[in-house]
Amino acid sequence: MKKARAHFPKIKAIAYEGPKSTNPLAFHHYNPDEVIDGKTQSAHLRFSIAYWHSFRGVGSDPFGPGTIVRPWEKGTDAISIAKTRLDAAFEFFQKIRAPFYCFHDRDIAPEGKSLAESNRNLDRVVAHAKDLQKATGVKLLWGTANLFSNPRYMCGASTNPDAHVFAYAAAQVKKALDVTKALGGENYVFWGGREGYETLLNTNLKREQDHLATFLHLAVDYAKSIGFKGQFLIEPKPKEPTKHQYDFDVASGIAFLRTHGLEKHFKFNIETNHATLAGHTFQHEIEVAAAQGLLGSIDANAGDELLGWDTDQFNTNVKELTLAMVSILRAGGLGQGGFNFDAKLRRPSIDPEDLVHAHIGGMDAYALAFKLARRILAEGKFTKFLQDRYASYDAGFGRDIEKRRVGFRDLNKLVLGKLGEPKPRSGKQEYLENLLNSYLHG
Ligand code: XLS
Ligand code: NI
Ligand code: NI
């Protein structure tokens, strides 16, 4: 890719130099080619770059315009700019050693004056993306449609009170599924940014939720009709931009999927910052999804403890990620999902090199967490602790409870008879916290 090399001239392909290296432009924990259990680290971690942040984000916020100017963003023809931007992006994907990327339809190609024109734009840019994928081996982790930026979606897409907007959104997602399939996308994501409400004064909540379910059923039907084999994912978020989103968190997402008979077709794409906005930890959301076999993929980022919105920062919190990784590995991994860096640079981080530092930090933190979690699970101390803590359910009347072989009368008889008063046992939280720290700082 001779031409592409021009966009990040100062950056060489990032190499693994080990934890002792002081080179900030090297990996210290992420060693993509290292084989662990018959698979490379790169294949275990399936890192992905989020096109919208890393190649469309300019650092704008509600108080001011963008600050980030990229040298490749020049020219007057929107399609050729979009193609050059893709060249820059694929050069970056290769240099940062990311095997995947993700996009919204409107990230990669400009929206036209009509849906037909938008579709034509998309086709032209997607053809280029296909060539770049082929030339570099970088693959599409997931595609999605932007159903939240255009003013037509101000009151929602599939939950819009106007059926015309529902129809438009359906047509847009139809095309997004076509291009995701054409590019070999392994998943397709629904994030309902405006599928919620600002006030119940103007909202028929039940009808809107039913419409959302209908929309998802139509997507499943269409995907089947074109032979799209990717996994559908729902990405819960409690709020922002709407005051209240219908897929608030994983638990309400599960209830929604089950209520509407969608649970066989969807899994969850869990985003760290969305988890914390919903008042949960990242690990909590992973455990809730995994408990139902619905863990699909991860949007890897972090919020700010002091700010109440989706700040989408790169996550360098090894403790949080180690806990998350323990839960993910215990659940058997992410399958065809991956870790997508749905994270953006801070507004003053304006150098192309900052994009590199940001992803090195995120990848290294995840790779380190992956290794620590593997050690924690291999040594089995936490696993053993949990087994012991619930051991009373492994035999006797405990087992009968789990098997639903006893009723209140039987248990009443037992307690009044030989069982008597239970003997309290310590939960040992502080011991366990120290044990965790011994891995993090050992
Ligand atoms: C926004 C979401 C969005 C989705 C894709 O908060 O995280 O970026 O991941 O539409
Ligand atoms: Ni996201
Ligand atoms: Ni988000």
Side-chain angles (χ1 to χ4, degrees):
M1 299 228 71
K2 228 187 280 156
K3 194 174 125 227
R5 210 170 284 144
H7 299 293
F8 290 87
K10 292 203 198 113
I11 306 294
K12 292 206 237 21
I14 305 302
Y16 171 74
E17 291 187 6
K20 297 221 170 72
S21 160
T22 53
N23 176 5
L25 290 173
F27 292 122
H28 302 104
H29 302 287
Y30 179 49
N31 186 358
D33 301 324
E34 188 197 359
V35 176
I36 300 175
D37 283 346
K39 252 173 38 179
T40 60
Q41 264 194 46
S42 156
H44 277 287
L45 291 163
R46 295 169 63 85
F47 288 136
S48 159
I49 309 299
Y51 203 81
W52 53 101
H53 284 312
S54 289
F55 287 89
R56 300 315 308 272
V58 291
S60 58
D61 69 15
F63 301 92
T67 50
I68 295 170
V69 184
R70 297 299 186 215
W72 53 82
E73 296 282 333
K74 49 177 192 261
T76 47
D77 175 42
I79 299 289
S80 61
I81 300 172
K83 288 186 181 171
T84 310
R85 186 186 295 129
L86 265 186
D87 292 335
F90 274 78
E91 180 188 342
F92 178 74
F93 302 159
Q94 281 190 295
K95 288 184 167 173
I96 202 70
R97 316 283 307 271
F100 292 99
Y101 72 118
C102 295
F103 63 74
H104 301 83
D105 48 2
R106 303 299 177 245
D107 301 335
I108 57 166
E111 180 148 18
K113 286 195 196 71
S114 65
L115 183 65
E117 191 186 324
S118 299
N119 289 349
R120 277 195 301 274
N121 290 348
L122 200 51
D123 285 336
R124 290 171 66 191
V125 181
V126 162
H128 191 54
K130 203 167 184 175
D131 290 343
L132 287 166
Q133 285 186 204
K134 210 167 158 215
T136 61
V138 174
K139 295 191 280 187
L140 181 64
L141 184 65
W142 48 263
T144 188
N146 179 329
L147 302 178
F148 45 88
S149 296
N150 190 290
R152 83 174 73 84
Y153 296 126
M154 69 180 183
C155 299
S158 67
T159 64
N160 199 290
D162 183 353
H164 188 159
V165 180
F166 182 106
Y168 197 106
Q172 193 180 326
V173 170
K174 175 187 175 294
K175 183 69 182 175
L177 281 165
D178 290 339
V179 305
T180 301
K181 177 174 185 256
L183 292 173
E186 300 192 16
N187 303 269
Y188 184 92
V189 163
F190 286 91
W191 170 64
R194 298 199 192 269
E195 311 294 29
Y197 60 81
E198 298 299 329
T199 172
L200 286 170
L201 291 172
N202 65 13
T203 303
N204 185 329
L205 182 141
K206 173 157 172 35
R207 265 184 116 165
E208 291 200 1
Q209 290 188 335
D210 287 348
H211 295 163
L212 175 56
T214 298
F215 195 87
L216 297 180
H217 273 293
L218 297 182
V220 169
D221 293 346
Y222 180 70
K224 210 169 151 198
S225 77
I226 60 168
F228 174 64
K229 298 271 181 307
Q231 172 68 50
F232 276 119
L233 299 167
I234 296 245
E235 184 179 324
K237 185 176 184 181
K239 58 189 170 190
E240 193 208 13
T242 56
K243 173 194 167 79
H244 190 111
Q245 274 169 227
Y246 292 131
D247 50 356
F248 191 93
D249 60 2
V250 174
S252 43
I254 291 171
F256 175 82
L257 293 176
R258 291 242 167 96
T259 302
H260 298 281
L262 286 157
E263 71 277 10
K264 281 192 187 62
H265 306 291
F266 285 82
K267 288 186 175 175
F268 288 94
N269 182 39
I270 296 173
E271 178 163 322
T272 322
N273 205 162
H274 298 182
T276 51
L277 281 175
H280 304 307
T281 62
F282 183 26
Q283 191 187 16
H284 168 93
E285 288 293 77
I286 292 166
E287 286 279 330
V288 176
Q292 305 298 320
L294 294 175
L295 179 60
S297 201
I298 298 291
D299 264 9
N301 65 14
D304 184 296
E305 277 167 23
L306 304 180
L307 300 175
W309 62 90
D310 202 13
T311 59
D312 288 339
Q313 289 167 237
F314 285 83
N315 198 333
T316 54
N317 183 338
V318 176
K319 185 172 173 179
E320 180 181 43
L321 297 183
T322 301
L323 290 169
M325 272 295 182
V326 165
S327 294
I328 292 168
L329 294 179
R330 239 192 234 142
L334 296 176
Q336 66 197 79
F339 294 95
N340 171 49
F341 291 104
D342 190 357
K344 64 185 178 204
L345 295 171
R346 296 307 88 193
R347 194 165 186 258
S349 300
I350 58 174
D351 297 339
E353 197 181 272
D354 293 321
L355 205 54
V356 181
H357 289 304
H359 284 88
I360 287 177
M363 289 171 154
D364 264 347
Y366 261 97
L368 177 56
F370 173 67
K371 290 179 214 176
L372 292 171
R374 282 177 53 86
R375 226 185 95 204
I376 287 172
L377 291 171
E379 289 183 13
K381 292 181 187 162
F382 289 96
T383 313
K384 169 94 177 35
F385 183 90
L386 280 182
Q387 270 163 5
D388 291 348
R389 194 161 191 238
Y390 293 88
S392 61
Y393 288 94
D394 292 340
F397 70 91
R399 193 165 166 73
D400 290 340
I401 292 172
E402 284 202 344
K403 295 277 175 207
R404 300 202 180 148
R405 287 193 297 236
V406 283
F408 276 7
R409 282 191 187 82
D410 309 305
L411 296 171
N412 179 54
K413 213 168 132 195
L414 272 176
V415 173
L416 291 176
K418 63 172 181 187
L419 283 183
E421 192 62 31
K423 194 168 158 265
R425 271 178 75 184
S426 170
K428 293 238 170 291
Q429 181 170 335
E430 297 77 7
Y431 157 76
L432 293 166
E433 283 167 350
N434 295 352
L435 181 60
L436 178 65
N437 256 5
S438 76
Y439 286 97
L440 300 179
H441 306 292

